[in-house]
Amino acid sequence: MIKEGTYSAWFKTPRGQGTGIVQLAAGNVRGGDGVLSYSGSYEARGDRFTTIIRTKRHAPGQPSLFGPDELTLSLEGCCRTIPFTCSGRAEEAPDVPFEAFLLYSAPDDAPPPAPRPAPKFNLEQLPKPFWR
């Protein structure tokens, strides 16, 4: 089952690797990295999912890992474990395999973790110099 929210994405092709941010909500995918934006849709069934993602350049910078900037990725993956994994190909570069790993990020409005008390300093617990 896919948990809606923000995911950090790490992806790779034989031409290189990259990172980005992806938002999954109500069957829609939105996201991007430093030079490309991503949009599309996903469908989950049990512990498997499929997604179609379109990319578009929004800033100058490094070349796409596929060659063309604007393309349509068809991906299949598993959402049983964390991180999610998926793989597939782009219509515009069918000879370039693609793999991605998605790691869920806590929402900004999530409560911060409970503070832990600072340990008490105890000089006797420090290591002793070996030259004494």
Side-chain angles (χ1 to χ4, degrees), residues 46-131:
D47 63 356
R48 305 290 303 165
F49 70 96
T50 58
T51 184
I52 303 292
I53 298 174
R54 287 167 294 288
T55 65
K56 185 173 182 166
R57 183 167 289 273
H58 66 79
Q62 75 269 16
S64 163
L65 296 178
F66 291 93
D69 291 335
E70 295 188 17
L71 48 84
T72 302
L73 284 163
S74 296
L75 305 172
E76 291 185 21
C78 178
C79 53
R80 180 176 356 127
T81 61
I82 301 295
F84 295 169
T85 58
C86 60
S87 61
R89 297 183 185 268
E91 292 175 12
E92 298 78 2
D95 59 324
V96 182
F98 177 87
E99 278 186 275
F101 302 87
L102 302 174
L103 185 61
Y104 184 76
S105 300
D108 290 339
D109 59 352
R116 296 189 293 177
K120 295 189 184 224
F121 180 74
N122 183 344
L123 184 61
E124 296 302 316
Q125 290 181 332
L126 292 175
K128 307 293 183 240
F130 66 89
W131 59 84

Side-chain angles (χ1 to χ4, degrees), residues 8-67:
S8 298
W10 174 73
F11 44 86
K12 66 179 182 172
T13 73
R15 297 178 179 178
Q17 56 185 320
T19 59
I21 299 293
V22 178
Q23 179 76 30
L24 304 179
N28 294 306
V29 178
R30 299 280 182 259
D33 58 35
V35 297
L36 296 176
S37 60
Y38 324 134
S39 64
S41 61
Y42 70 90
E43 184 176 309
R45 292 182 188 212
D47 63 356
R48 305 290 303 165
F49 70 96
T50 58
T51 184
I52 303 292
I53 298 174
R54 287 167 294 288
T55 65
K56 185 173 182 166
R57 183 167 289 273
H58 66 79
Q62 75 269 16
S64 163
L65 296 178
F66 291 93

